[in-house]
Amino acid sequence: MYIYNTEVNSELKELFSDFLSIYSSYDEIREVAPSFDNFSSLKEELIDTWNIFNLDKEKIIDLIKGICPEFYIENSDLFSKSVAVRESAQDTYIKEHSILKCNDWDEFVTEITTNIRFNIDLFNKSIFKDVLAAFEEIMDVEVTPHYFRGRIVDKLSYKIDEMGAPPKEQSGNGRANPKGIPCLYLASSEKTCAMEIRAGLHDKITIGEFALEKEIKIINLINIDKISPFSINNVRAHYVNKKYLKRMSAELSKTLGNNSSDLEYLPTQYIADFIKSLGYDGIKFKSTLDPKGHNLAIFNLGSFDCKYVTPYKVENFDVSIGIF
């Protein structure tokens, strides 16, 4: 176990001083943006916005004092008054650094579903590209666990070669792919898999177990709220875009009914297509049906291979499954 002695060690001093300097006190913000009203305490920001410390909020300030005492002395207002990131109160900065040019997710959805679809220009693509870099994840063959894909069947079982992504002529609309462009959707467990395909009581399903065949690079949108500010190139830009990133993750995870309109897929398809155009091999996102699970949308279809198939039968509505 490594113990950081604030009286001896100094490695964190510059990191925290640079990071904390993105904040300004209530009085400073109100001087430049009198109507701005989105303030909180610094300790709440560190816990609720950045998830930096697993500590009681009341102990955080004492820890900061120990890590960077000079910064604490020189910026006492940040620790005694409400704070905000100055750039989040500046319309010019938001316009130049927001992922969405319109600065409104619902307006983006309306535009892409009812007005301009293929040449929509509501994303600041260079900003989005830079922000996405914080969520890059390398999936390595040696350490990546197996993933699962399920299919409801009316026969005994599907075969291994029938468990991959559907061919392009049978590929329908999905969260991360438009009709005609195949995408391999995988789940982190058999249970998550069964829940995601919305199997009903007494349904027979085949679940294929997939192994990663080669190293791939994906965008991981699962832990948006837990991304370290110390791993981000532009913390201020990330801060003003955090609400959009959370919304994207939620939209990718959202369950759509069988009768949902294809239009409902358009916003996430646009985002996924842009991520794919940057050379990423897939996206990782939460499962709303199984809070303990997550999903992959894999663009690089040859990166995973089905190794085994197992037939199951849904035995109750809690999606408890048993081999038959």
Side-chain angles (χ1 to χ4, degrees):
M1 180 174 66
Y2 176 76
I3 296 176
Y4 185 89
N5 187 337
T6 58
E7 295 182 0
V8 177
N9 303 108
S10 60
E11 296 94 333
L12 297 179
K13 182 184 295 186
E14 186 175 351
L15 280 175
F16 271 89
S17 296
D18 289 346
F19 163 59
L20 293 173
S21 66
I22 72 172
Y23 287 97
S24 299
S25 69
Y26 177 92
D27 296 335
E28 292 176 307
I29 296 291
R30 277 302 180 89
E31 285 181 6
V32 297
S35 61
F36 184 80
D37 199 33
N38 189 18
F39 295 92
S40 59
S41 69
L42 185 59
K43 58 188 175 185
E44 289 171 336
E45 284 288 302
L46 294 174
I47 289 287
D48 300 333
T49 300
W50 298 106
N51 288 278
I52 291 179
F53 299 112
N54 185 21
L55 285 175
D56 183 278
K57 288 182 181 179
E58 301 309 315
K59 297 179 180 179
I60 289 175
I61 301 305
D62 289 336
L63 184 57
I64 295 296
K65 287 181 188 178
I67 293 174
C68 44
E70 293 87 356
F71 182 89
Y72 177 81
I73 294 171
E74 295 169 3
N75 300 274
S76 58
D77 279 0
L78 296 182
F79 299 87
S80 60
K81 299 180 179 180
S82 296
V83 301
V85 174
R86 180 185 293 267
E87 285 76 8
S88 67
Q90 298 175 335
D91 290 340
T92 301
Y93 183 90
I94 292 174
K95 184 176 181 180
E96 292 176 352
H97 293 85
S98 174
I99 291 171
L100 291 177
K101 293 181 180 180
C102 61
N103 202 34
D104 188 309
W105 175 268
D106 292 327
E107 183 179 333
F108 161 66
V109 171
T110 299
E111 189 74 1
I112 199 171
T113 55
T114 65
N115 191 19
I116 299 177
R117 187 153 305 163
F118 300 109
N119 293 296
I120 192 169
D121 188 32
L122 287 182
F123 261 70
N124 282 314
K125 294 183 178 180
S126 61
I127 298 295
F128 193 22
K129 179 181 178 180
D130 290 342
V131 170
L132 284 172
F135 303 98
E136 288 183 2
E137 178 183 322
I138 301 297
M139 297 186 72
D140 182 81
V141 174
E142 298 299 324
V143 298
T144 299
H146 285 189
Y147 279 80
F148 305 87
R149 179 174 186 248
R151 299 184 68 184
I152 299 173
V153 298
D154 56 5
K155 55 183 179 180
L156 182 61
S157 179
Y158 282 107
K159 299 177 181 178
I160 286 179
D161 60 4
E162 297 177 296
M163 291 306 297
K168 58 184 180 181
E169 60 272 11
Q170 296 178 22
S171 178
N173 278 297
R175 299 164 181 164
N177 72 291
K179 185 176 181 179
I181 300 180
C183 180
L184 179 63
Y185 291 92
L186 299 172
S188 57
S189 71
E190 293 98 324
K191 179 181 178 182
T192 305
C193 177
M195 296 178 77
E196 287 290 342
I197 63 174
R198 285 166 289 198
L201 187 64
H202 305 312
D203 274 347
K204 293 179 180 179
I205 59 178
T206 298
I207 292 182
E209 186 171 345
F210 286 75
L212 182 64
E213 295 293 298
K214 59 183 179 180
E215 181 180 283
I216 60 174
K217 183 166 66 173
I218 66 169
I219 292 296
N220 184 348
L221 295 178
I222 291 178
N223 294 320
I224 284 177
D225 291 337
K226 297 180 180 179
I227 189 75
S228 169
F230 307 121
S231 66
I232 300 171
N233 292 330
N234 190 334
V235 180
R236 291 172 172 84
H238 178 88
Y239 188 90
V240 301
N241 284 299
K242 199 163 190 178
K243 60 182 177 181
Y244 301 128
L245 292 166
K246 291 174 69 174
R247 185 68 181 269
M248 290 176 196
S249 179
E251 292 295 320
L252 276 165
S253 303
K254 186 170 67 176
T255 301
L256 296 178
N258 294 329
N259 296 322
S260 298
S261 167
D262 289 344
L263 296 178
E264 295 183 60
Y265 289 104
L266 285 173
T268 55
Q269 287 174 352
Y270 177 89
I271 292 163
D273 196 62
F274 178 71
I275 291 173
K276 182 179 179 180
S277 75
L278 297 176
Y280 293 105
D281 297 298
I283 305 172
K284 182 185 289 187
F285 53 96
K286 294 178 181 178
S287 169
T288 53
L289 294 172
D290 181 9
K292 295 181 180 180
H294 66 267
N295 300 308
L296 295 175
I298 299 297
F299 312 132
N300 186 342
L301 303 184
S303 57
F304 277 87
D305 189 43
C306 185
K307 301 298 184 181
Y308 314 100
V309 293
T310 306
Y312 292 95
K313 184 177 181 180
V314 178
E315 296 176 341
N316 61 58
F317 285 116
D318 290 327
V319 197
S320 173
I321 56 179
I323 297 175
F324 68 92

